[in-house]
Amino acid sequence: MSSFSRIAVILRDGQPGQTVDVRGWVRTKRESKGEFAFLEVNDGSCFGNLQLIVDGNVPDYAALMKEIGTGASIHAVGEVKESPGKGQRIEVHVRSLRVLGTADPATYPLQKKGHSFEFLREKAHLRARTNSLGAVARVRNAICFAIHEFYQSRGFLYVHTPVITTSDCEGAGQLFQVTTLDLARLAALKQEQGKPVEIDYGQDFFGKKAGLTVSGQLEGETYACALGDIYTFGPTFRAENSNTTRHLSEFWMVEPEMAFYELDDNMQLAEDFVKFVIRAVLEKCPDDLKFFNERIEPTLLASLENIVSHEFIRLTYTEAVDILEKSGRTFEYPIAWGKDLQSEHERYLTEEHFKQPVILTDYPRAIKSFYMRCNADGKTVRAMDVLVPRIGEIIGGSQREERYDVLVDRMRESHLNPDDYWWYLELRKYGTVPHSGFGLGLERTVQLITGMQNIRDCIPFPRTPKSADF
């Protein structure tokens, strides 16, 4: 165990007369006449800064003050005292101080002033030192802990599904290709021959065309159909050229899969899950959420309380379309049965019509994935989307199609080759059972709970079209 105390512990438990060992980064330095300085120090363990009082009795005071500026890292030992300052219970009067690393004020980019989030994305290696991004990181951590806590407490098994796959779960052709073939040589051959070069994937590393996973669902189903309730939690990738505030090319997904669950069971688990995670963060990160409510999104706390305090409305896609058509609103994307709902439609339902979360079910089969169970009407599938205010869709899921012949027909309808999914189909041949699952995007959840406007600020190093820095 380390010999020094985290600032979060000092601020929470520190008592006058206690000696503490503090290490962190200087947020601000304020010098007064007569060899006297105030240092605001943060080590990332909490939102608040710890104030250090340094006077001329500290050895090498003058030399230290010349070295210390915003961004410098320091090691201080001192005594906790009651603080006369407004808004802080204690402060530390320093007895010894040393500089661990300097930060040149002429070049250090995070000086004491406001910085745009666009600017901070260009400084992703440093932006976690700011109030906003440090708070995002702590909230993201609390969400991840709550995710595991929720599923582990319910007896789910955590399953690691592959990052590299040869099947496209969504059938949308958005896989990032993984290859060891010499692409430069193939391009040269194409130029020489003046026509496309047929690629022999049998010579590739895996012996067939492979890509980064868009979902762990299909593989997750294999374990659900053997072990009952499982969940996957890991990075997923989509080569979708969407340069918006709501899309990332690399993002993290939580995907539970449950044997013997039908759609109603799936919806209830999704509702319980969302509420559990939000309550956990409200409890564990109150100072961070207070900051977001004051500085980022003034309705944040009220919105989160609204989600956890209401039963989620359940209605069908058809009922939702009827509400939207009768709303009298002119939407950017016209609404009609058979079209996928856009964010503006989802937010109208949750923010204006119902003013609370909504779970939509029974979407048209033509706009949903091949693995969703077909309803008896032949037109819809047992899909569900959980919609929440300010974000829209936070969860997408379904009861899975467990009937072999129907699943084969759906694959062909979706222009997929059933032979490529032979192992997935065999689950329907050997002891098939009703089963369900859903996916929740971690970054969307961070966006919901922090109020951040751009999803690129909800992940440490965003991957987007034309951007893979750091």
Side-chain angles (χ1 to χ4, degrees):
M1 187 173 179
S2 61
S3 60
F4 62 95
S5 296
R6 287 294 189 184
I7 287 175
V9 175
I10 297 171
L11 290 174
R12 185 186 68 222
D13 301 332
Q15 297 299 321
Q18 178 184 358
T19 296
V20 291
D21 184 316
V22 181
R23 306 178 196 192
W25 292 270
V26 175
R27 287 285 179 86
T28 64
K29 180 183 78 170
R30 191 160 46 89
E31 289 188 79
S32 298
K33 294 179 180 179
E35 294 193 331
F36 202 79
F38 298 88
L39 304 180
E40 293 283 335
V41 180
N42 190 286
D43 66 358
S45 61
C46 64
F47 183 82
N49 298 328
L50 178 64
Q51 179 166 275
L52 306 185
I53 309 298
V54 187
D55 63 28
N57 293 321
V58 171
D60 300 320
Y61 172 86
L64 287 168
M65 287 305 109
K66 289 180 180 179
E67 287 190 277
I68 293 174
T70 299
S73 54
I74 64 167
H75 174 199
V77 176
E79 181 182 348
V80 175
K81 294 192 176 183
E82 291 184 3
S83 175
K86 185 179 179 181
Q88 55 190 28
R89 183 178 67 88
I90 59 171
E91 61 191 21
V92 173
H93 289 235
V94 174
R95 293 198 294 261
S96 68
L97 176 66
R98 67 188 178 104
V99 178
L100 301 177
T102 60
D104 181 2
T107 60
Y108 184 62
L110 303 182
Q111 294 297 321
K112 188 183 177 183
K113 62 178 181 179
H115 298 288
S116 71
F117 290 119
E118 291 81 1
F119 171 80
L120 292 176
R121 280 177 223 129
E122 298 173 1
K123 309 294 180 185
H125 58 306
L126 296 172
R127 67 177 183 164
R129 299 187 188 187
T130 64
N131 286 335
S132 300
L133 276 299
V136 167
R138 287 186 291 273
V139 168
R140 184 182 172 105
N141 173 72
I143 291 170
C144 293
F145 186 89
I147 287 167
H148 286 293
E149 187 178 19
F150 177 83
Y151 289 111
Q152 292 293 325
S153 68
R154 292 182 174 227
F156 281 62
L157 293 181
Y158 178 30
V159 173
H160 297 127
T161 51
V163 171
I164 297 175
T165 181
T166 57
S167 58
D168 184 354
C169 177
E170 300 301 325
Q174 296 174 346
L175 288 175
F176 281 100
Q177 188 175 348
V178 174
T179 183
T180 57
L181 295 175
D182 189 339
L183 300 182
R185 178 176 173 273
L186 291 173
L189 283 173
K190 178 181 177 181
Q191 188 173 16
E192 288 173 12
Q193 298 176 10
K195 61 181 180 180
V197 176
E198 186 173 341
I199 299 174
D200 180 8
Y201 285 106
Q203 302 301 312
D204 208 347
F205 187 89
F206 294 106
K208 59 178 66 176
K209 192 173 183 178
L212 299 178
T213 183
V214 299
S215 169
Q217 176 201 315
L218 302 188
E219 293 87 353
E221 284 186 53
T222 68
Y223 271 70
C225 290
L227 301 172
D229 300 338
I230 68 97
Y231 70 106
T232 77
F233 186 13
T236 55
F237 309 84
R238 292 194 185 172
E240 181 182 7
N241 194 22
S242 294
N243 224 331
T244 76
T245 60
R246 301 179 72 244
H247 291 89
L248 291 166
S249 300
E250 175 185 286
F251 53 98
W252 282 63
M253 286 278 285
V254 187
E255 297 178 286
E257 293 290 332
M258 296 75 64
F260 311 109
Y261 271 50
E262 299 198 25
L263 189 63
D264 287 342
D265 307 307
N266 205 26
M267 289 191 289
Q268 190 59 55
L269 183 77
E271 178 175 342
D272 293 346
F273 176 42
V274 171
K275 289 179 175 178
F276 181 92
V277 170
I278 292 175
R279 287 191 184 107
V281 181
L282 284 168
E283 178 184 344
K284 293 177 181 177
C285 301
D287 291 340
D288 294 313
L289 294 185
K290 180 182 177 183
F291 166 78
F292 289 125
N293 195 73
E294 291 175 351
R295 292 294 194 79
I296 304 297
E297 172 50 64
T299 66
L300 177 67
L301 290 176
S303 177
L304 296 178
E305 291 291 348
N306 178 46
I307 292 172
V308 300
S309 63
H310 285 95
E311 296 298 316
F312 291 7
I313 299 291
R314 288 160 167 75
L315 74 158
T316 66
Y317 165 91
T318 300
E319 292 169 328
V321 169
D322 185 58
I323 290 170
L324 292 164
E325 287 179 332
K326 295 177 179 176
S327 67
R329 290 283 300 274
T330 300
F331 295 106
E332 180 181 354
Y333 296 92
I335 188 68
W337 199 96
K339 292 185 176 181
D340 209 354
L341 299 188
Q342 303 297 316
S343 178
E344 60 176 337
H345 307 137
E346 296 167 346
R347 294 189 62 174
Y348 173 81
L349 293 170
T350 58
E351 295 174 21
E352 298 185 46
H353 188 82
F354 290 109
K355 295 183 172 62
Q356 63 190 80
V358 173
I359 303 180
L360 294 187
T361 64
D362 302 297
Y363 281 76
R365 65 187 283 169
I367 63 173
K368 287 297 182 179
S369 297
F370 69 93
Y371 52 74
M372 297 185 177
R373 194 182 201 279
C374 295
N375 286 322
D377 61 13
K379 298 188 301 181
T380 61
V381 291
R382 306 211 78 192
M384 67 152 200
D385 283 348
V386 179
L387 315 180
V388 292
R390 290 191 299 102
I391 295 294
E393 181 192 337
I394 191 76
I395 281 176
S398 70
Q399 183 174 335
R400 313 313 191 189
E401 182 56 78
E402 84 280 12
R403 298 165 295 183
Y404 182 91
D405 292 340
V406 177
L407 184 57
V408 169
D409 289 342
R410 284 287 284 139
M411 286 180 174
R412 289 175 175 149
E413 184 181 306
S414 302
H415 308 292
L416 299 174
N417 183 357
D419 292 343
D420 294 337
Y421 298 83
W422 63 271
W423 54 273
Y424 187 68
L425 285 166
E426 282 197 355
L427 296 176
R428 279 72 180 168
K429 289 175 64 177
Y430 307 133
T432 189
V433 295
H435 59 288
S436 300
F438 59 79
L440 172 140
L442 175 60
E443 286 72 29
R444 286 270 179 96
T445 309
V446 174
Q447 205 171 10
L448 168 69
I449 296 179
T450 63
M452 297 296 284
Q453 297 300 305
N454 196 316
I455 202 166
R456 300 175 195 199
D457 302 320
C458 297
I459 190 170
F461 301 100
R463 300 296 186 244
T464 55
K466 302 293 187 281
S467 177
D469 296 329
F470 304 99

